[in-house]
Amino acid sequence: MPVRTVLTIAGLTLREASRRKVMRALGVLTVLLLALSAWGFSQLGAAADDGGLTSGEKLMACSQILNLVMFGFSLIAALGTAFLAGPTLAGETESGIALAMLARPIRRSAFLLGKWLGLVVFGTVYVVLAGVAQCLVVLATSGYWPPEPATALALLAAQAIVLLTLAVLLSTAVSPMASGVVSIGLFGSAWVAGVIGGVGAALDNEAVERVGTVSRILLPTDGLWRGAMHGFQDPSVLHRFAAGEFEAFPFLSVHSLTAAYLAWAVVWVVLVWSVAAASFRRRNL
């Protein structure tokens, strides 16, 4: 597989993505969320300065609100990658653009890898830029800085990569709109299942807790998100809760991710991409 061909297609994918209206929508949503969070954290900082909050309460509030805002950014990234992956692959296939490029000749696997790589760069750059901007906003308005921002942002980027890989797979089989809708639906379902699993853990109900565990294996987005939350929140926050009580909080994470789970996320991406390549290879253009 020629590396130059893959990189060229990735560059073209990035250029095409930058021209889509989805990018403008992402920009507007990002600015609005940054502005809203800046106002909220400034109010929180003012309340702490006036003595309305103790230092411990401020840390807990900052940790949970930052996780909430970062979930908003992860949702924006999910929407962007899912609805870019569909038109980028399925749209070009339906319009005949892909057929014109593949006639040069270019192997279908190289074409798909280039498209995927371009979307990976887009999702990663967005998550890093938006995440760093948000952390700086929080620092400037409330004085809070997350303990492991680099790790947390890397896991958020990994979450976006997992979702866009799923969207690429779906776009090889269904229409662009359907692939985006199904991807976002599965993303939301995995998060809800994770919350249900947390409630089960808090109630010491293994059957309910297993719902979250299974969902994180089938689709690693929620597992990666929980690892990211652990990097954004202050470690002292968990000490304010009784054992197991914090499991039910959707914007608190108890444990960092294990190496085994991170390895599974990588294997999951490779497996799903391989299935997407096989599906695209058999598709009539």
Side-chain angles (χ1 to χ4, degrees):
M1 184 183 299
V3 176
R4 185 176 179 180
T5 300
V6 173
L7 294 178
T8 299
I9 295 174
L12 292 173
T13 301
L14 278 173
R15 186 182 305 174
E16 177 63 24
S18 65
R19 298 173 181 172
R20 294 187 179 274
K21 293 181 180 179
V22 174
M23 292 292 291
R24 301 175 193 172
L26 291 180
V28 171
L29 289 173
T30 301
V31 171
L32 287 176
L33 188 54
L34 285 172
L36 182 61
S37 66
W39 177 81
F41 277 102
S42 65
Q43 296 299 308
L44 184 63
D49 293 338
D50 294 339
L53 294 174
T54 65
S55 59
E57 290 172 339
K58 179 183 176 181
L59 277 177
M60 183 173 68
C62 286
S63 294
Q64 291 193 68
I65 296 174
L66 179 58
N67 279 340
L68 173 61
V69 174
M70 285 301 184
F71 180 76
F73 281 119
S74 73
L75 181 58
I76 293 174
L79 288 169
T81 54
F83 283 100
L84 277 175
T88 298
L89 187 60
E92 291 187 1
T93 301
E94 293 178 355
S95 65
I97 296 176
L99 180 61
M101 294 185 66
L102 292 171
R104 294 191 180 273
I106 298 175
R107 294 177 60 181
R108 292 195 182 191
S109 57
F111 178 79
L112 184 67
L113 182 58
K115 291 290 184 183
W116 178 83
L117 184 60
L119 293 171
V120 165
V121 172
F122 162 78
T124 301
V125 170
Y126 171 79
V127 167
V128 171
L129 291 180
V132 170
Q134 180 59 53
C135 289
L136 292 175
V137 165
V138 175
L139 179 64
T141 54
S142 68
Y144 177 77
W145 184 257
E148 300 176 9
T151 300
L153 291 177
L155 291 174
L156 277 186
Q159 181 195 51
I161 292 171
V162 166
L163 188 63
L164 73 86
T165 305
L166 174 63
V168 166
L169 169 61
L170 293 172
S171 66
T172 63
V174 297
S175 67
M177 181 61 70
S179 65
V181 171
V182 173
S183 298
I184 295 301
L186 292 175
F187 172 82
S189 298
W191 181 78
V192 171
V195 173
I196 293 173
V199 173
L203 298 176
D204 199 22
N205 187 317
E206 292 185 3
V208 177
E209 183 181 3
R210 197 175 298 118
V211 173
T213 302
V214 172
S215 71
R216 293 183 198 116
I217 297 298
L218 295 177
L219 183 60
T221 51
D222 184 63
L224 294 169
W225 159 243
R226 291 183 176 276
M229 281 199 298
H230 192 271
F232 287 128
Q233 71 193 23
D234 190 273
S236 64
V237 170
L238 299 181
H239 299 312
R240 301 178 63 86
F241 296 90
E245 187 182 34
F246 40 73
E247 296 276 7
F249 282 74
F251 296 108
L252 285 177
S253 180
V254 183
H255 305 293
S256 59
L257 295 183
T258 63
Y261 188 83
L262 293 174
W264 164 245
V266 173
V267 171
W268 189 96
V269 169
V270 172
L271 289 175
V272 172
W273 189 91
S274 300
V275 174
S279 175
F280 188 59
R281 195 178 300 117
R282 295 184 177 90
R283 181 168 181 172
N284 293 325
L285 300 180

